[in-house]
Amino acid sequence: MTHLSLAEVEAIAREAHAAQTDKAGRPYTEHLQAVAEGVRARGGTDEQIAAGWLHDSVEDDALSRAWLDQAGLPQSVKDMVLAVTKRPGEDLRTYTARILATPGALLVKEADLAHNADPGRLAVLDEATRARLTLKYAEVRRLLGLA
């Protein structure tokens, strides 16, 4: 099977999330780009960068699990995307254990957390949301050994 290029993965992710905005009302694709760039800046492989572009696609229902299963992607990319996909009702320990057990996924999640916890991004949120997310991101970083 021929695999999608990074440019194709980026285009698919941008199209899938085109109508979405983040908690601050910004285009969600800005977050995807920041995560992909964060993975690249941390020395990530092309497969990890692809997972960065797609990291929220299944969780946010932008792309289906069936799409991911059939997509022309290396299995490692699919595994990383599924590892960082939080499941409904899932506790943080189970979620972070899966990330740690999946080769390459930790770097993707590290880039995701770095952008999510960016002070400039958090500053535009209301105080209660900012406080809740700051604690959540710190706990995830602790469980992942990134503290």
Side-chain angles (χ1 to χ4, degrees):
M1 174 195 298
T2 304
H3 290 141
L4 295 165
S5 70
L6 261 181
E8 290 169 322
V9 170
E10 175 182 345
I12 289 165
R14 285 184 181 279
E15 182 178 333
H17 290 271
Q20 292 178 302
T21 56
D22 67 13
K23 291 177 180 70
R26 303 288 307 155
Y28 200 78
T29 53
E30 291 178 5
H31 173 63
L32 303 178
Q33 182 171 351
V35 173
E37 291 300 326
V39 169
R40 180 180 280 114
R42 287 168 173 80
T45 64
D46 283 355
E47 291 180 3
Q48 287 171 305
I49 295 166
W53 277 110
L54 297 171
H55 78 279
D56 278 336
S57 59
V58 175
E59 185 174 317
D60 292 349
D61 293 322
L63 295 168
S64 68
R65 170 69 190 267
W67 177 89
L68 183 67
D69 289 343
Q70 297 301 313
L73 295 165
Q75 188 61 46
S76 63
V77 174
K78 297 175 185 185
D79 292 346
M80 285 183 270
V81 171
L82 293 175
V84 300
T85 298
K86 188 126 178 2
R87 299 169 186 166
E90 184 175 39
D91 67 89
L92 286 179
R93 287 190 181 283
T94 302
Y95 173 61
T96 54
R98 183 174 62 249
I99 292 169
L100 290 171
T102 305
L106 180 60
L107 187 71
V108 176
K109 188 61 186 177
E110 182 180 5
D112 179 39
L113 284 166
H115 189 247
N116 281 339
D118 179 88
R121 226 171 152 225
L122 289 171
V124 300
L125 303 176
D126 65 84
E127 192 172 332
T129 301
R130 183 171 54 246
R132 177 180 60 79
L133 291 176
T134 299
L135 287 173
K136 176 185 160 190
Y137 299 148
E139 178 65 1
V140 173
R141 288 185 65 80
R142 187 187 68 74
L143 289 169
L144 292 172
L146 298 170

